[in-house]
Amino acid sequence: MEGRVYGPYTPAQMHAFVKEGRVAAHSTVSQSREAGWLDARQVDQFKGWFDEARQTPAQRRPRPAPGDSRTANFVVIAHLSQESEAEFAAALSEFGDTEQIGHGVWLVRAPYTAAILRNELSHALSRDDKLLVVDASRDRTAWFNLGREADQRIRELWGRPQ
């Protein structure tokens, strides 16, 4: 991630990261300090994990947040490559009622959290795609692949006292 190295992690941890969307097929990984770096999709152990991750949200059956089964209203903003647009829109529609209100902007009504939507939708994104999910009902946000600088600006702006 932007030149930073993480780990080492156990196979169980890496499997969990794939399920959470923290490791994508285009993420670079290394099996040891001496080994070279490869896209995760090139490593045999990851292939089955990505097949699992490609299941539809209905197949994976993500659960609403514990104790919070009420439906929420979301604004989903995505900057997508042309190759990702159809898969992303299809994946998004599996979560609940959706309405596209502009290029790359959707309203969604679903019984999930912003983090679950971000994690699940990240499987439909390519290396350069960006995603921002705003839970308008619970005042929560989650994002993917915006970069360190944008992450810092968001945290600073929203953390300022009024």
Side-chain angles (χ1 to χ4, degrees):
M1 185 176 275
E2 296 184 7
R4 292 179 280 174
V5 177
Y6 299 91
Y9 296 109
T10 66
Q13 288 172 308
M14 293 304 289
H15 187 202
F17 292 161
V18 169
K19 283 201 251 183
E20 294 168 6
R22 292 172 57 188
V23 173
H26 61 267
S27 299
T28 53
V29 298
S30 179
Q31 294 180 327
S32 71
R33 292 198 186 277
E34 298 78 34
W37 295 91
L38 298 168
D39 279 357
R41 71 172 66 82
Q42 296 175 287
V43 178
D44 288 337
Q45 191 167 22
F46 282 81
K47 289 178 184 172
W49 298 341
F50 290 125
D51 287 342
E52 281 175 27
R54 274 191 285 279
Q55 293 174 338
T56 66
Q59 291 168 320
R60 283 192 301 271
R61 298 173 208 247
R63 303 275 187 250
D68 195 1
S69 61
R70 67 190 160 99
T71 300
N73 298 315
F74 297 92
V75 177
V76 175
I77 303 168
H79 183 268
L80 304 167
S81 64
Q82 216 170 10
E83 299 80 35
S84 301
E85 285 180 1
E87 182 181 355
F88 182 84
L92 185 61
S93 69
E94 294 177 21
F95 284 97
D97 295 331
T98 63
E99 186 68 42
Q100 187 167 7
I101 60 170
H103 183 71
V105 181
W106 293 264
L107 299 179
V108 180
R109 191 155 167 73
Y112 299 105
T113 65
I116 287 173
L117 285 178
R118 181 226 22 236
N119 291 346
E120 296 296 324
L121 292 169
S122 70
H123 299 291
L125 300 177
S126 70
R127 179 185 307 264
D128 296 322
D129 294 338
K130 297 173 178 18
L131 175 66
L132 176 69
V133 179
V134 178
D135 181 336
S137 299
R138 299 183 191 106
D139 195 23
R140 297 279 183 249
T141 345
W143 52 89
F144 179 80
N145 213 23
L146 295 183
R148 188 179 353 177
E149 185 178 308
D151 179 80
Q152 185 63 33
R153 288 192 330 251
I154 291 167
R155 292 178 191 282
E156 285 175 5
L157 176 65
W158 289 348
R160 288 182 194 153
Q162 291 188 347

